[in-house]
Amino acid sequence: MTVPGVRPERVAGGMAILAGGGMILAARTLAPLPHLPMGPGVAPTVIGVGLLVTGVLLLVRRGATAARDGAVRSASCPGSLPTSRRWGLFTLTLGLPLFVALTLETFGMAIGLGLVLAPLLAMQTRRPVWAVGLAVAVSALLVGLVHGGLGRPLPNGPLPRVSALLGPTGR
Amino acid sequence: MTADALALLLTPQVLAAMAGAALAGLIVGALPGLTATLGMALLIPVAVTLDPVPALAAAMTLAAVSIAAGDLPGALLGIPGTPASAAYADAAHRMARRGHAGRALAAGLVCAALGGVTGAVVLWLGAPVLATLALHVSTVERAWLALLGLSAAAAVAGPSPVRGALALLIGLSLALVGLDPVSGQPRLTFGLAVLSGGLGLVPVLVGLFAVTRVLRQALTGGMAADAPRPTALGPVLSGLCPILARRWRALATGSAVGLVVGAVPGAGADVAAYLARAAAGRRRPARGAADVDDADLDAIVPAGAANNAAIGGALVPATVLGLPGDSLTAIVIGLLMLKGVTPGPAVFVIQPTLMTAVVLAYLLANLLLVPAGLLAMALARPLLRVPDAILMPLVLGLALIGVYAVEGTTTALVVTVVVGLLGVGMEAARLPLAPAVLGFVLGPMVEEAALVSLMKSGGDPAVFVGRPLAAVLAGVTVAVWVVPWIAPRIVRRVGRRRRTRALKR
């Protein structure tokens, strides 16, 4: 996950300075209250200053070695996926839960979980039929445990009858 | 009275309720996303139908077991089951990757049991005295205690305190989202009403640890070269006695820190675990007996003990004063009142047998921890054989349904994924994740306690060092930052002087 020639602490320092500056600016938009000695902008200002200071410290720090700090690398190893496929898997891992979150009321939790699990399992195991079967089984088990067993309400989607069998509190 | 309490406790109904609660606690604690508080909340509908002693015994058992079971996913997957486990999940996972998962888990388990037993004994013998002490803690000391917890988290997070501090500030920034705790003004919500309630602890915890882990596995292409998952538990109980005997001071420190911090209203097991890890420090390795696991065990032993001792500590103000130390003890108070027990200074006088039975139930629950934990480890063995390619999507599915079960909103799911992406960025920048969680937990507490203190003093900042206990806590907090920076320089200077003197001679 590191880019050759780019020191991660420099990138983190730069981001921290930007975030700190943004936080201080955002704090200035919060109106102080007349009857309180300190307003809601104090904490964001303090944190913003802290981000600025740590960002500067990371930028000016010299001699920090990757070996001492334990670098996290994504070196390829035998059996791992090729780079393009890895980024594809990363995009799916990130995108599918977001898609399901935004369409949860439409699809319901059982189908939504299946929509997340089946493509990810299929891509990694390269056995699509087996992956779909496992995704369906795991989705049913998890929804049964949380909805039926623990009684937590979950969106049913188009499966109200199945959910009604599992528990009385579904939506 | 103790005999009467034991007679109330050792009945088939109570023991069955405790066994059921232990099983539920294992499931809740071991599943990332489901917290001990959620488990306790889910227990209430069942507990209402039970008699007072089995209901309260089940609550005590569930609290103790679920907190300790949070170590299991922490060690095996690097995903802490509870916020308190985050304090030493990194150390346990490092040991697991070296093939010593069993030793890490057993050490954590036995220390949790010993810390919990210490907490129960102190609760039994010294509840009124501790409650009086806890009453003297004002918002000023609470603010310092929370700041001390934050400082300790940054200090023990890794080789670079600057990166620890930045991680902490990221957690504090996330905690700012939502309504200001004093004035109620929306902050950093970007005009989105759904963010008014804040980001939520469970989405942030699950996002930072579980989703980050899944995304990292996707980036490394299914076979992470840098972080191989453990394939076997390795030795479990063998060699544990000498390990704990060598660290008895750390164990005692962890238990003491857990008890004291737990007894302070507002500070929970997570603060106690971080503080204990920092307070116990790094034991000097014995000559010729250096073990690769030494440094990690030095972190696990005090923090594991503090974790469960804190519950005993938190039960002191909860039972004697009716003050909840955290959300877990708030539920215990609710359950006590549902069962006709009104917490207060006279509770041990009016209902001594029932209260002694409750304390003994907590003691017994901590003794049950070891067999329950060993059973959980045996059940977790098959998990080690599941390849990452299958396990990680399942962890993601579990994380999503767990977050929705707790929060009940799709916004929480989006927050979980976005925070997971933030965690990947933090790891790429070599920032530790654990301080961010503690920053998120303690940020609002620091802000609220500090603002309330200032309001009480009319805006005079001298209030923060005006009381002896506050001044001591302020000194310790400053020392946590300054000592690691100054001490090596002093040691180097003294060494240089000695060498110069020796050369002159």
Side-chain angles (χ1 to χ4, degrees):
Chain A
M1 283 188 278
T2 53
V3 180
V6 178
R7 279 173 58 178
E9 55 264 40
R10 291 262 164 103
V11 178
M15 299 285 280
I17 289 172
L18 280 177
M23 190 79 83
I24 293 168
L25 285 177
R28 290 169 71 92
T29 63
L30 296 167
L33 298 176
H35 58 283
L36 290 174
M38 298 178 84
V42 174
T45 307
V46 171
I47 292 169
V49 170
L51 284 168
L52 280 176
V53 171
T54 47
V56 170
L57 282 175
L58 282 175
L59 276 182
V60 301
R61 226 162 58 120
R62 281 177 297 179
T65 61
R68 194 190 68 172
D69 296 339
V72 179
R73 293 187 187 283
S74 63
S76 195
C77 64
S80 65
L81 298 172
T83 310
S84 61
R85 220 174 145 86
R86 270 191 256 165
W87 280 105
L89 181 62
F90 180 78
T91 311
L92 267 185
T93 310
L94 195 62
L96 283 173
L98 286 176
F99 170 74
V100 167
L102 297 175
T103 57
L104 196 64
E105 296 297 332
T106 311
F107 288 117
M109 185 57 87
I111 293 177
L113 272 185
L115 286 176
V116 172
L117 294 177
L120 293 180
L121 285 167
M123 193 166 180
Q124 297 204 64
T125 60
R126 298 175 201 183
R127 290 157 67 190
V129 177
W130 183 87
V132 170
L134 183 63
V136 169
V138 170
S139 303
L141 182 75
L142 288 178
V143 170
L145 179 73
V146 173
H147 185 49
L150 299 177
R152 304 297 292 177
L154 296 173
N156 292 327
L159 298 174
R161 288 182 187 174
V162 176
S163 294
L165 291 175
L166 293 170
T169 49
R171 281 195 272 124
Chain B
M1 186 176 61
T2 307
D4 293 342
L6 277 173
L8 272 179
L9 189 65
L10 300 176
T11 63
Q13 194 197 6
V14 175
L15 295 177
M18 288 179 79
L23 186 66
L26 278 178
I27 295 171
V28 166
L31 296 182
L34 303 186
T35 61
T37 310
L38 172 71
M40 289 284 278
L42 293 173
L43 179 76
I44 287 181
V46 181
V48 168
T49 62
L50 299 173
D51 290 335
V53 177
L56 292 165
M60 297 290 135
T61 310
L62 197 140
V65 175
S66 55
I67 292 271
D71 294 0
L72 206 61
L76 299 182
L77 304 173
I79 303 165
T82 58
S85 307
Y88 52 97
D90 56 340
H93 191 54
R94 272 196 300 272
M95 279 183 69
R97 274 158 37 194
R98 288 195 293 266
H100 298 154
R103 185 180 286 174
L105 285 166
L109 197 63
V110 173
C111 290
L114 291 173
V117 166
T118 312
V121 170
V122 171
L123 174 64
W124 188 14
L125 301 177
V129 180
L130 271 174
T132 314
L133 282 176
L135 260 187
H136 286 90
V137 172
S138 73
T139 51
V140 177
E141 284 87 6
R142 272 178 56 197
W144 278 119
L145 205 60
L147 265 177
L148 185 56
L150 291 175
S151 308
V156 301
S160 166
V162 179
R163 281 189 210 153
L166 182 52
L168 195 61
L169 288 164
I170 290 172
L172 289 169
S173 306
L174 294 177
L176 286 177
V177 177
L179 300 180
D180 164 48
V182 177
S183 70
Q185 277 194 57
R187 281 190 311 203
L188 303 180
T189 56
F190 307 104
L192 298 170
V194 286
L195 292 179
S196 302
L199 298 180
L201 175 61
V202 173
V204 170
L205 184 72
V206 172
L208 269 184
F209 288 104
V211 179
T212 296
R213 176 85 170 84
V214 176
L215 287 171
R216 196 177 64 193
Q217 185 265 347
L219 264 184
T220 50
M223 286 197 177
D226 55 300
R229 216 155 46 77
T231 51
L233 283 180
V236 179
L237 291 175
S238 66
L240 193 62
C241 284
I243 285 172
L244 296 182
R246 282 203 300 272
R247 291 172 179 80
W248 68 269
R249 278 205 185 104
L251 191 57
T253 307
S255 300
V257 169
L259 267 172
V260 173
V261 174
V264 175
D270 37 11
V271 186
Y274 277 101
L275 274 181
R277 186 175 166 177
R282 172 83 170 87
R283 196 181 56 88
R284 195 170 290 169
R287 274 185 195 171
D291 187 334
V292 284
D293 294 333
D294 262 348
D296 293 327
L297 285 166
D298 286 345
I300 293 170
V301 168
N307 235 347
N308 273 39
I311 304 175
L315 284 172
V316 174
T319 52
V320 183
L321 303 171
L323 291 175
D326 52 17
S327 50
L328 207 67
T329 41
I331 297 174
V332 171
I333 290 178
L335 200 55
L336 281 168
M337 294 178 83
L338 273 175
K339 292 296 162 193
V341 182
T342 307
V347 71
F348 279 89
V349 180
I350 297 169
Q351 287 161 305
T353 312
L354 179 66
M355 287 313 293
T356 309
V358 170
V359 175
L360 288 177
Y362 180 59
L363 185 71
L364 187 60
N366 279 290
L367 294 175
L368 275 176
L369 261 187
V370 177
L374 291 175
L375 175 71
M377 283 158 69
L379 294 176
R381 273 179 202 273
L383 193 71
L384 298 173
R385 288 195 287 273
V386 180
D388 266 358
I390 295 170
L391 188 64
M392 287 301 130
L394 301 187
V395 167
L396 183 63
L398 190 59
L400 293 176
I401 199 168
V403 166
Y404 194 88
V406 177
E407 299 286 328
T409 64
T410 50
T411 311
L413 296 181
V414 177
V415 169
T416 306
V417 178
V418 173
V419 171
L421 188 62
L422 173 71
V424 173
M426 286 174 70
E427 287 199 334
R430 299 175 201 154
L431 301 178
L433 299 180
V437 171
L438 204 71
F440 186 81
V441 172
L442 291 182
M445 193 204 292
V446 175
E447 187 183 6
E448 194 179 348
L451 286 179
V452 170
S453 305
L454 281 170
M455 282 165 72
K456 284 195 290 194
S457 70
D460 181 11
V463 70
F464 288 109
V465 286
R467 289 157 53 101
L469 185 56
V472 170
L473 286 171
V476 176
T477 307
V478 172
V480 166
W481 286 102
V482 173
V483 168
W485 188 70
I486 288 180
R489 285 167 174 77
I490 293 174
V491 169
R492 269 202 301 273
R493 185 168 289 181
V494 170
R496 229 179 285 144
R497 272 187 198 164
R498 279 185 186 160
R499 277 196 299 276
T500 316
R501 273 185 212 154
L503 282 173
K504 279 180 184 170
R505 278 176 201 163

